[in-house]
Amino acid sequence: MTEDHLGSTADADLQTLRENDPLAAAAAHRRAGKALLAQSRYQQAEEQYGSAAACFKELGQREPLARTLTHQAVCCLFLGEQERALPLLTRAERLAAELELEDLQAAAAGNLGLAYALDNDYTKAVKEHKRVLEYGEKLEDDQLRLHAQINLADCYLQDGRPRQAQGFALVAHDLAQNTNARSALVKIYHLLGMISAHQSDHRQAVTYHQQASQLAAELGDLQQQGLSLANQALSLEALTDIPQAVKRLTSAREILRTINSTYLEKIDRDLKRMKRSLPGPG
């Protein structure tokens, strides 16, 4: 039996379940969405969460509806469809406020911040991430605080405000160390490296990116390991250490090629440019 036929059979079974037991169908769609999201199959996950949301709406189940809408919006963000994510998150946040679910309000606000950042509207993005930080303080939730600070640092950096970005990144660094949040530390070292490069302190940038790439390698995060190596290479190029820059960028390319990264095209362009600058005969 082919995969397409299996999928059709599963869809038919869910439709039957939806007619006979809509609450069970909603739960089944949501489980399918969660499994597909974990596999990075964002389009299919979004469709399953959408079906679950429709069931919960019909049943008047407001809390699971709000949570499902938030997950559906996350799928849209991964697909780069922030224009679809925004109304979903607005609905989720409104429901969460009516139900006084502050954890869900924080989740919706954080994802709204990410959606606005994708639209390059950093003023609105910063406002949403600061709301998450306030929820983190109120709920005494270190994870909320940490992710809000990382996202604020990223927004300020993208908006060309490295001093503000550095302040939030350093606070996030201390919190991540105190809570042993190693995956967050990878992102923070990467951000600090980008901030240092933006400030033309390329020696410090190399150090931060080296810390990020080493920790990413320990955690098995190939995407971040490759990106941090690539950014090391760019700072080494700025320091005119072209042989080491080529070495780092070649390593980055080998790592990112294994996961078919979308950054490969840019890395190939950078590598070609650097190799033209290598010392050679004549």
Side-chain angles (χ1 to χ4, degrees):
M1 186 177 290
T2 66
E3 184 176 340
D4 287 343
H5 186 69
L6 282 169
S8 299
T9 302
D11 289 342
D13 289 343
L14 278 171
Q15 181 59 39
T16 301
L17 185 62
R18 186 168 177 172
E19 292 169 0
N20 296 329
D21 190 344
L23 186 57
H29 280 299
R30 189 163 61 175
R31 285 195 302 273
K34 183 178 180 180
L36 290 163
L37 180 57
Q39 297 168 21
S40 302
R41 296 164 66 183
Y42 304 123
Q43 185 63 57
Q44 293 162 292
E46 188 275 329
E47 292 168 1
Q48 290 294 332
Y49 279 125
S51 296
C55 292
F56 286 129
K57 183 180 178 182
E58 290 173 9
L59 294 165
Q61 297 282 321
R62 294 193 298 163
E63 180 177 345
L65 171 58
R67 296 190 184 279
T68 301
L69 289 170
T70 302
H71 286 109
Q72 185 183 1
V74 168
C75 296
C76 292
L77 292 177
F78 275 120
L79 291 166
E81 298 175 356
Q82 60 271 21
E83 69 284 350
R84 292 184 60 212
L86 285 168
L88 295 171
L89 290 167
T90 301
R91 286 174 61 198
E93 187 177 36
R94 185 176 65 249
L95 286 167
E98 291 172 1
L99 296 167
E100 299 182 349
L101 297 170
E102 291 182 319
D103 65 320
L104 186 52
Q105 286 178 270
N111 285 301
L112 277 169
L114 296 175
Y116 286 130
L118 285 173
D119 261 347
N120 300 318
D121 190 340
Y122 297 111
T123 300
K124 287 184 179 178
V126 164
K127 181 180 178 181
E128 294 297 335
H129 290 311
K130 283 186 175 179
R131 289 179 58 216
V132 178
L133 190 56
E134 290 171 2
Y135 281 120
E137 297 293 344
K138 183 177 180 180
L139 299 172
E140 298 183 349
D141 187 323
D142 284 339
Q143 287 302 306
L144 284 180
R145 291 186 187 119
L146 180 57
H147 290 298
Q149 287 159 353
I150 291 171
N151 287 324
L152 282 165
D154 190 36
C155 282
Y156 279 122
L157 176 60
Q158 298 302 322
D159 200 28
R161 299 162 71 181
R163 183 175 297 178
Q164 290 92 331
Q166 188 175 46
F168 280 106
L170 289 172
V171 172
H173 173 267
D174 291 345
L175 181 56
Q177 282 198 319
N178 291 338
T179 57
N180 196 31
R182 300 179 77 212
S183 61
L185 270 174
V186 174
K187 297 176 185 176
I188 294 163
Y189 283 133
H190 184 79
L191 272 172
L192 285 167
M194 298 289 287
I195 292 164
S196 295
H198 194 90
Q199 296 171 325
S200 299
D201 187 352
H202 290 287
R203 292 194 185 281
Q204 184 62 64
V206 168
T207 299
Y208 280 133
H209 284 307
Q210 188 171 18
Q211 289 174 295
S213 63
Q214 288 174 345
L215 186 53
E218 291 175 19
L219 297 174
D221 186 344
L222 296 179
Q223 173 91 341
Q224 190 60 64
Q225 183 186 2
L227 291 179
S228 294
L229 283 168
N231 281 296
Q232 276 186 64
L234 293 175
S235 283
L236 287 165
E237 181 186 27
L239 292 167
T240 68
D241 189 348
I242 306 302
Q244 282 299 316
V246 169
K247 183 178 179 181
R248 295 291 192 283
L249 197 56
T250 301
S251 295
R253 189 185 187 283
E254 290 173 357
I255 291 168
L256 293 174
R257 187 164 53 85
T258 65
I259 57 172
N260 197 28
S261 171
T262 56
Y263 291 94
L264 282 172
E265 187 176 340
K266 181 184 185 306
I267 285 177
D268 284 340
R269 290 197 304 269
D270 290 340
L271 193 56
K272 186 176 181 179
R273 182 189 67 249
M274 289 179 189
K275 285 182 175 179
R276 284 200 301 265
S277 301
L278 279 171

